[in-house]
Amino acid sequence: MGAALLYGQYLQARPHAFAIWVQLGHALKEAGRKEESLGAYERALALDRENADLLLSLGHVNKLLGRFDEAERYYSRSAAIEPLGPARGELRRLVGKAQAPGTPEPTPNEFGASAPPTRGAGSPEPPPHPVGYVERLEGTVVVGWACDPRAMGGPAKLEFRSGDAVVCVAETHMVREDVEALGFGSAPRGFGVDLSEVFDETQTEISIWIADSAWELEGSPVKIRHPQHRRPLPAEICNRSASTVADPDRVAGVSDWRLPNPSVRTVAFYLPQFHPFRENDAWWGRGFTEWTNVTRGKPQFAGHYQPHRPGELGYYDLRVPEIQHRQVELARRFGVSAFCFYFYWFSGRTLMERPIRQFADDAAIDFPFCLCWANENWTRRWDGLDSEQLIGQNHSPDDDLAFIAHVAEYMSHRNYVRVDGRPVLVVYRAELLPDPAATARRWRDFCRSSGLGDIYLVCTHAFTTLDPRDVGFDAALQFPPNNTGLSEYEGDLQYESSFVGMTFNYAESVTKAETFSPPMYPLVRSAYPAWDNTARRGHAATIFMNSSPPRYRRYLETVVRQTIEQQPERDNRLVFVNAWNEWAEGAHLEPDERYGYAHLEATRMALVRAAATPEERRLRFGAVEQRPLLVVIIHAFYLDVLPQILTKSASYDPQAHFVFTTPHDKVEPLKALLDGFAHSFEILGVENRGRDVAPFLQALTHVWARRFRYVLKLHTKKSTHRSDGDRWLSEFLVSIADPQRLSAIMAAVEVAGDVGIVGPASQVVSLDTYWGSNADRVRALARRLGVDDLVVRDKVFIAGTMFLARLEALEPLMALSLTTADFEPEEGQVDGTLGHAIERVIGIASSAVGLKIAGSEPDGQGRIRLRTEAVRDFAFAIPTLAEP
């Protein structure tokens, strides 16, 4: 009961501390004081009525007290908020417990779950599986998922009813991979419907049903506040993605991390048509640009993401230099190595060259680029008049020489992309040249005689799969989704009556990439984030269903990893992405309103994860023996505690470097405290935000380029909310900060080879036992790392965030683009902050690059044993009683 007493004392001073009321409830329940536990949970519920974990705990206690109706009520509320959580199973078990002897259990359906009861009177048959759940309410926005058993291949049509009146009809419109994983298929299952315009002040209770059925979604009805009380919409709903990242403009010390020495060069195709020019004015009207196409995109079926609207860059004009400056900044930050500009040459006449020339001539831009000659005729394809030619090609030997003389100026640029020193020139459709081999010879002869040297010629596989050697070229280039041989999408979509286009399944592209066998000739691999040319082709569009940033990350990671495996020469490792800014074709890495920066973030994470082999780590970070041994990063908040750490660290390797972080107002006192400190050190003044975690990321960014072999993370831990906080710090100092122990741990890690992060064995705890109030954030961060929800619960973490780490193990964490502004201001929180979530994610980040997290302990023979299993009895936290 000691913990309960401490929680009670804390709550006297801070009665609105939600997390402490919850922990008090846990402690009282463990002590057998169930009624008092119930009271503590109810006090917490008054502070947060939509917390699924808390409602689950209330259900547990009521069940223990034999109050099954109350338990069912709380379990139902929890399941409505988190329909895939444990409350669903508790409800099934509770129904079985309440049944009369001999009554059979509900029959599981093909998805392994019992069908929930339906609410509609007179329903002839219950649905064959759960039809959906209302997960939560955000102001006037109802969020959840649904599946119509009668139309499994397509979106579900929903009716929102006030009493007997249908006030709104909508359809599911978001891909939900968590629901798909349960076996419900890949059609859009999620919805986020704003009802602010469809009810008045007297119509606040809304029920949600599968249209034209007696099947009501679990968690329905909901009570909706009047619009005047509406809160801002969260980013992850209403056709937006939860995997977006923070605005990269907020670069306070963390998000300016750069991907080190990429193992491949990622080249993104770049369309230069986002500015007005004379020919477009004449052909389509004054002021026409690619944005004119983009803005006229219209949905072709329910839930169709059209039009695509740009994010931070807006509807830009490429004549403005600052736009290209920002494009380069974003590309660098997220791992794109170069742009490949489409180049439009028509027998001596060029179109849209101004942005390319501006890019090459701008001294403020220091970024690689190359050219792809778009050598087709220009027709009125956007108007559906493919046969009406606006400007055509007139290939001839003289034109070959005129063309190569023109582009040679670009190819001689210091930033031009080269392979083995040879400038790369891509031709979109080499098969349209009258004699491509003869053209290739002319180009090579001209470049050699002009002093440029040999060139590296690449033809795309946009429409053919020709062997490049047969036409005098050096390599071919995949151009997905063109020429990928995918089957048509089989989902049951409710198309517009005028739609005559085609739909394909993006997921099949990922599968094909994973089973790809390379040809006998040189082939440059490619990936694409999505494809939907509705903006250009209208009702005749080609649309790829089920694309998403996580699927694109998996696709690109596969292509990059295979390129690394199949191409030993690093200078030859090119991977193309289609595209940087093909907005009218729905293929863009640039941020948009729906996904934010998620496709860019997926690009960088794919590169990090794909280059995680031991050999690639050595190439990226340098040979281990040549790297500085150790950097010690210490967050010094409680300066009175720091001498305990300095006493230990005084005997570290003389070459060890120290970085101290401390709030700005403590910099001068810290300097005085470090007077006479023998090691080299730096002091970084930081904002008091994010506890020790945000300052650690800032310090790590600061020293990243020095490629230390190991990082030792310590902080002046007091844990003032605990009576045993001093003992907790002492355990860390003895277990990993002691000089002899630290040396032995580093030696053990070197021998193990596959261990990335080490803490005291007594502090390695199971994630599914010590979620705390962090489950949702942990899962969201794990998804951004590319780690599946289903394996997250099996991970371990080092409680207290003091550990030794290989630098490589922390690379995925740095790739998350977190900023100081993402962390909550310090208000005495003991759980539930971003810092607490990252504490649990550090080991997941290490696993994303194939490195384990382990605890260290003496083996009794003077050596260190590393153990990867969690400790059974953790003394410094109360277990989460049920998995969130």
Side-chain angles (χ1 to χ4, degrees):
M1 285 303 297
L5 290 173
L6 288 172
Y7 291 143
Q9 293 171 5
Y10 186 94
L11 289 166
Q12 289 178 7
R14 294 182 175 172
H16 298 293
F18 168 80
I20 302 304
W21 281 113
V22 173
Q23 294 298 330
L24 177 60
H26 293 342
L28 291 168
K29 180 189 169 191
E30 287 296 301
R33 296 165 64 172
K34 299 181 183 63
E35 291 286 357
E36 294 175 70
S37 170
L38 202 61
Y41 287 145
E42 287 172 346
R43 287 292 300 271
L45 189 64
L47 298 172
D48 184 354
R49 294 191 173 278
E50 302 298 322
N51 188 292
D53 300 342
L54 175 58
L55 291 164
L56 184 70
S57 295
L58 279 160
H60 289 335
V61 177
N62 276 288
K63 184 169 70 172
L64 290 173
L65 292 169
R67 300 168 184 170
F68 298 118
D69 288 344
E70 284 295 294
E72 182 179 4
R73 182 167 67 89
Y74 285 117
Y75 286 147
S76 296
R77 290 175 61 185
S78 179
I81 297 168
E82 287 192 4
L84 303 181
R88 176 177 169 183
E90 293 291 346
L91 278 169
R92 290 202 302 271
R93 286 188 285 272
L94 197 64
V95 169
K97 186 176 184 67
Q99 285 175 332
T103 303
E105 289 282 338
T107 303
N109 58 38
E110 66 270 35
F111 303 102
S114 301
T118 56
R119 298 175 185 267
S123 176
E125 293 288 341
H129 59 73
V131 295
Y133 294 89
V134 179
E135 294 175 334
R136 65 188 186 276
L137 182 66
E138 294 284 349
T140 57
V141 179
V142 181
V143 182
W145 68 272
C147 177
D148 189 338
R150 303 163 300 185
M152 291 293 290
K157 187 175 181 180
L158 304 175
E159 292 179 350
F160 295 78
R161 303 177 186 174
S162 175
D164 294 329
V166 176
V167 297
C168 178
V169 176
E171 288 187 336
T172 54
H173 58 270
M174 295 184 291
V175 172
R176 286 283 300 267
E177 294 188 356
D178 53 341
V179 177
E180 179 181 331
L182 294 177
F184 284 85
S186 58
R189 303 298 184 202
F191 63 87
V193 179
D194 188 354
L195 299 176
S196 60
E197 304 299 326
V198 300
F199 63 90
D200 58 36
E201 198 163 2
T202 63
Q203 296 175 323
T204 57
E205 186 167 278
I206 302 293
S207 57
I208 302 95
W209 303 71
I210 300 293
D212 302 319
S213 81
W215 301 331
E216 186 176 4
L217 274 57
E218 288 297 303
S220 169
V222 294
K223 290 187 176 180
I224 298 181
R225 300 175 182 177
H226 194 257
Q228 65 185 1
H229 303 301
R230 182 179 177 186
R231 294 186 293 172
L233 298 185
E236 70 270 17
I237 65 174
C238 290
N239 278 334
R240 294 175 186 261
S241 167
S243 57
T244 190
V245 301
D247 185 341
D249 274 334
R250 298 186 292 158
V251 295
V254 177
S255 67
D256 56 352
W257 176 86
R258 294 289 185 267
L259 185 69
N261 189 22
S263 299
V264 302
R265 285 180 287 172
T266 306
V267 184
F269 282 107
Y270 184 114
L271 183 69
Q273 198 179 184
F274 295 93
H275 70 292
F277 54 94
R278 182 183 58 192
E279 289 82 358
N280 263 355
D281 285 348
W283 295 332
W284 282 287
R286 189 170 184 81
F288 177 94
T289 74
E290 185 76 346
W291 294 122
T292 311
N293 284 327
V294 174
T295 56
R296 69 185 185 185
K298 291 182 173 58
Q300 300 300 306
F301 52 84
H304 185 196
Y305 173 35
Q306 281 292 341
H308 286 218
R309 296 187 178 92
E312 67 145 290
L313 294 172
Y315 295 97
Y316 54 75
D317 186 327
L318 287 178
R319 296 173 300 181
V320 179
E322 288 77 11
I323 293 299
Q324 290 186 326
H325 294 175
R326 181 57 173 162
Q327 288 174 323
V328 166
E329 182 182 2
L330 288 172
R332 275 205 182 100
R333 180 165 295 157
F334 290 101
V336 175
S337 304
F339 292 142
C340 182
F341 292 103
Y342 287 113
F343 190 78
Y344 295 86
W345 164 277
F346 301 89
S347 301
R349 181 177 176 185
T350 62
L351 303 182
M352 297 176 281
E353 189 177 6
R354 177 174 175 175
I356 306 173
R357 177 68 63 186
Q358 177 178 288
F359 188 97
D361 292 345
D362 192 335
I365 294 177
D366 184 15
F367 193 69
F369 70 97
C370 60
L371 301 180
C372 173
W373 181 18
N375 64 318
E376 293 179 306
N377 296 327
W378 194 301
T379 68
R380 296 190 68 89
R381 183 181 303 145
W382 300 335
D383 287 355
L385 302 173
D386 295 45
S387 60
E388 185 177 333
Q389 181 174 298
L390 298 174
I391 184 171
Q393 298 289 352
N394 184 18
H395 298 296
S396 67
D398 288 343
D399 188 58
D400 287 345
L401 293 174
F403 168 79
I404 199 67
H406 188 94
V407 300
E409 180 182 353
Y410 290 107
M411 290 194 290
S412 63
H413 195 285
R414 64 186 178 86
N415 279 332
Y416 198 83
V417 175
R418 290 171 170 81
V419 170
D420 288 333
R422 301 159 62 189
V424 174
L425 178 62
V426 182
V427 178
Y428 182 57
R429 299 194 65 180
E431 72 275 11
L432 295 182
L433 299 170
D435 186 347
T439 296
R441 285 194 299 272
R442 293 184 192 101
W443 289 349
R444 294 186 194 279
D445 291 344
F446 177 89
C447 291
R448 292 188 188 109
S449 63
S450 65
L452 185 62
D454 198 8
I455 58 177
Y456 194 81
L457 291 177
V458 180
C459 57
T460 79
H461 277 177
F463 294 93
T464 70
T465 56
L466 58 82
D467 184 330
R469 299 170 297 184
D470 293 342
V471 292
F473 279 56
D474 296 288
L477 168 64
Q478 290 179 324
F479 198 83
N482 285 29
N483 209 18
T484 50
L486 303 185
S487 55
E488 289 192 51
Y489 179 68
E490 296 181 353
D492 184 16
L493 299 176
Q494 299 179 20
Y495 296 105
E496 291 292 313
S497 59
S498 55
F499 182 73
V500 294
M502 300 183 71
T503 54
F504 298 90
N505 192 347
Y506 179 91
E508 192 177 343
S509 292
V510 183
T511 303
K512 281 182 173 287
E514 292 172 336
T515 58
F516 176 78
S517 296
M520 298 302 294
Y521 52 79
L523 178 69
V524 179
R525 303 292 301 283
S526 300
Y528 66 107
W531 185 271
D532 178 356
N533 61 9
T534 300
R536 284 188 178 174
R537 304 290 285 174
H539 300 304
T542 299
I543 303 165
F544 284 73
M545 304 294 298
N546 295 328
S547 63
S548 67
R551 279 206 174 101
Y552 161 66
R553 191 273 309 158
R554 179 177 154 192
Y555 184 6
L556 181 61
E557 180 182 340
T558 298
V559 169
V560 171
R561 182 178 289 114
Q562 291 170 348
T563 298
I564 292 171
E565 293 170 352
Q566 296 161 9
Q567 179 52 263
E569 297 297 327
R570 291 173 65 83
D571 196 52
N572 292 349
R573 293 177 183 169
L574 296 177
V575 168
F576 278 67
V577 176
N578 186 21
W580 175 261
N581 63 342
E582 283 281 14
W583 283 90
E585 293 178 340
H588 47 84
L589 296 181
E590 286 182 331
D592 67 353
E593 283 192 356
R594 178 173 188 175
Y595 291 113
Y597 302 88
H599 283 106
L600 285 168
E601 187 173 50
T603 301
R604 184 160 72 178
M605 195 60 67
L607 295 169
V608 169
R609 288 171 56 100
T613 66
E615 175 62 16
E616 285 303 312
R617 290 186 195 127
R618 186 187 71 80
L619 292 170
R620 286 156 60 77
F621 290 90
V624 172
E625 63 275 7
Q626 297 173 357
R627 292 157 58 185
L629 178 65
L630 179 68
V631 60
V632 184
I633 298 178
I634 302 173
H635 183 55
F637 183 82
Y638 298 107
L639 298 186
D640 59 316
V641 174
L642 185 59
Q644 297 180 52
I645 299 176
L646 297 180
T647 300
K648 294 285 186 183
S649 59
S651 301
Y652 286 0
D653 184 294
Q655 301 303 314
H657 181 67
F658 286 72
V659 178
F660 296 90
T661 59
T662 194
H664 294 290
D665 61 344
K666 299 185 180 184
V667 169
E668 292 304 320
L670 178 58
K671 286 181 180 178
L673 194 60
L674 292 174
D675 186 29
F677 186 61
H679 287 84
S680 65
F681 69 91
E682 300 168 79
I683 297 175
L684 297 181
V686 297
E687 185 179 352
N688 184 24
R689 184 188 286 255
R691 297 293 172 88
D692 59 286
V693 174
F696 173 67
L697 296 179
Q698 289 179 264
L700 200 56
T701 300
H702 181 68
V703 301
W704 190 269
R706 296 177 61 177
R707 300 288 181 271
F708 287 94
R709 197 184 314 177
Y710 291 106
V711 178
L712 176 63
K713 179 187 180 300
L714 303 171
H715 59 100
T716 55
K717 188 174 185 63
K718 271 194 174 183
S719 300
T720 55
H721 63 288
R722 301 187 60 89
S723 61
D724 54 0
D726 292 341
R727 182 165 66 88
W728 200 352
L729 174 63
S730 298
E731 193 162 323
F732 275 110
L733 296 182
V734 170
S735 299
I736 62 169
D738 177 82
Q740 291 184 337
R741 182 72 66 86
L742 178 61
S743 296
I745 292 172
M746 287 191 285
V749 172
E750 291 293 338
V751 171
D754 61 350
V755 172
I757 298 177
V758 180
S762 61
Q763 309 298 319
V764 177
V765 297
S766 172
L767 187 56
D768 69 343
T769 307
Y770 294 95
W771 288 104
S773 301
N774 307 287
D776 289 342
R777 266 185 161 163
V778 169
R779 287 185 174 119
L781 290 168
R783 283 193 290 272
R784 288 168 62 181
L785 291 165
V787 178
D788 193 277
D789 283 3
L790 298 177
V791 301
V792 166
R793 65 180 298 275
D794 297 326
K795 301 297 182 182
V796 296
F797 69 98
I798 298 173
T801 59
M802 285 190 256
F803 52 79
L804 178 78
R806 292 176 180 265
L807 189 70
E808 303 94 311
L810 299 171
E811 190 176 11
L813 185 67
M814 299 301 292
L816 287 176
S817 292
L818 297 168
T819 73
T820 309
D822 293 321
F823 291 83
E824 299 86 348
E826 286 302 318
E827 296 176 347
Q829 308 97 319
V830 296
D831 198 17
T833 68
L834 179 58
H836 291 98
I838 291 176
E839 175 185 15
R840 290 157 173 81
V841 162
I842 291 171
I844 298 174
S846 181
S847 72
V849 288
L851 294 173
K852 300 175 182 175
I853 188 169
S856 65
E857 60 185 8
D859 66 355
Q861 299 177 359
R863 294 187 296 271
I864 288 294
R865 177 172 53 236
L866 299 178
R867 47 181 286 184
T868 56
E869 65 271 17
V871 65
R872 291 188 176 182
D873 299 311
F874 181 56
F876 300 101
I878 297 174
T880 305
L881 297 182
E883 183 190 350

